[in-house]
Amino acid sequence: MRLPALMPLRFYNTLTQQVENFTASDGVVRMYTCGPTVYDYAHIGNFRTFTFVDLLRKWLRSSGFRLDHVMNVTDVDDKIIRNAVAQDKTLADYTRIYTEAFLEDCATLRLERPERLAPATEHIGEMASAIGRLAETGHTYQTDGSVYFRISTFPGYGKLSHNDFSGNLSGARVDVDEYEKADARDFALWKAPKEGEPFWDTPIGRGRPGWHIECSVMAIQYLGDTLDIHAGGVDLIFPHHENEIAQSESLTGKPFARFWLHAEFLMVEGQKMSKSLGNYFTLRDVVARGYQPEAIRYLLASVPYRKQLNFTFDGLKSAATAIDRLRNFKLRLEGGGFAEGSNGQLATRAAQAAQAFSDGMDDDLNTAEALAAVFEYVREANSAMDAGEFRRDNVPGALAFLEYFDSVFDVLKPGARAGELADAQVEEMIAARAAAKKARDFPGADRIRQELLDQGIVLEDTKGGVRWKRK
Ligand SMILES: [Zn+2]
């Protein structure tokens, strides 16, 4: 179902602080979103942002755009190095565990894979050469083998976060040799190796990249100098996205992204859910308590992304009830038994409700408005059924509307039973096994086959590819 848009698709752009009409010149949306740091399991606050990105993808596609979306995987940083060294693992061995866990969690929440996942450690050479170019154009300085970006060389600094830094730029009298950084806001592009830490040998020296440079380099490499959309959580606006802009625009001389979209925090009892506050639940924690992944997805999606979402278990229960109401309505439609003919008024209501849903989504992904349109229609249709006024020819329109809703919200299809792997997770693991085989990592491939078998999934290698079934 594609409806004629009465109002154009529009988003709130953090850069301009305005709601703006969204277009993409050739129908392709070049989008970059900041991905996970794979040092631990992601918590549902993280997944609020990733669910927002999934809704954004699905709505852009529903609006007729094609997608070229890149998400990074930060697989080298201080915490990763600390944990890997403590566990006597290589970086690759340590981060593989949490990258796989992240992808499994995404599958559990029915989050689509971006067109490209870009691990930072596969782009170290490109990062080093970008830092080299920034050095040549005078944007950097070195201290003890580390390279810093000199903020004072980028006059636009602060334009995304709308912070005014003009008053506290560093004075010339600061001696960089005596200070680690010339200005408190300067940030590391490249970190010199410390004793016992992994490093890379590159033309700019030994070491490893700082966090910010990976996003600039991989976004430009795969999507070009100017992105259509850059998205992430509000906590990334400053300094991360501000630093991405400084690096990217100093490299290309062009605007880095046309639209900047930021999802608000997930709150727990008035505080942001975060690892450092210790008030977090991983997705696995919540699923282990018996909540359906669809209910978690629904709860995360139901509050418009620019509003803070207060997480409670009661909220999850209400989400499950809302999904049941829609599933029951669908069963009722499929059950038939309606009198012949069509109720013209209800047919009109179905069309209006679909339009209201679409208008809500076009309005900066106002999911609350879109959902209100769905439930209002379902309530009316249910009462029409109770009164014997719902007719056979109203069924296809009602089912089409539900399908339209579910092409974005994706909660109607029943998920796996508790403790059972979802189909999408099985597919992910089969893909991981194929990748391991291709890399001639046969023990790894066998391990995945065994893990699947332990979960009751039997694989069969056929000429046509891998088939699987539940025992
Ligand atoms: Zn980033």
Side-chain angles (χ1 to χ4, degrees), residues 106 120 131 162 188 203 232 285 320 340 383 419 426 429:
C106 287
I131 295 166
H162 303 279
D285 295 335
E340 268 182 53
S383 358
V426 176
M429 289 177 72

Side-chain angles (χ1 to χ4, degrees), residues 32-35 72 211-212 215 230 236 240-241 244:
Y32 187 91
T33 55
C34 296
N72 64 312
W211 170 38
H212 311 294
C215 291
H230 194 313
L236 298 185
H240 181 55
H241 288 164
E244 283 190 32

Side-chain angles (χ1 to χ4, degrees), residues 103 106-108 110 421-429 468 470:
L103 294 176
C106 287
T108 302
R110 305 181 180 183
L421 286 179
D423 287 6
Q425 277 175 308
V426 176
E427 302 288 351
E428 291 277 355
M429 289 177 72
W468 63 272
R470 295 184 194 276

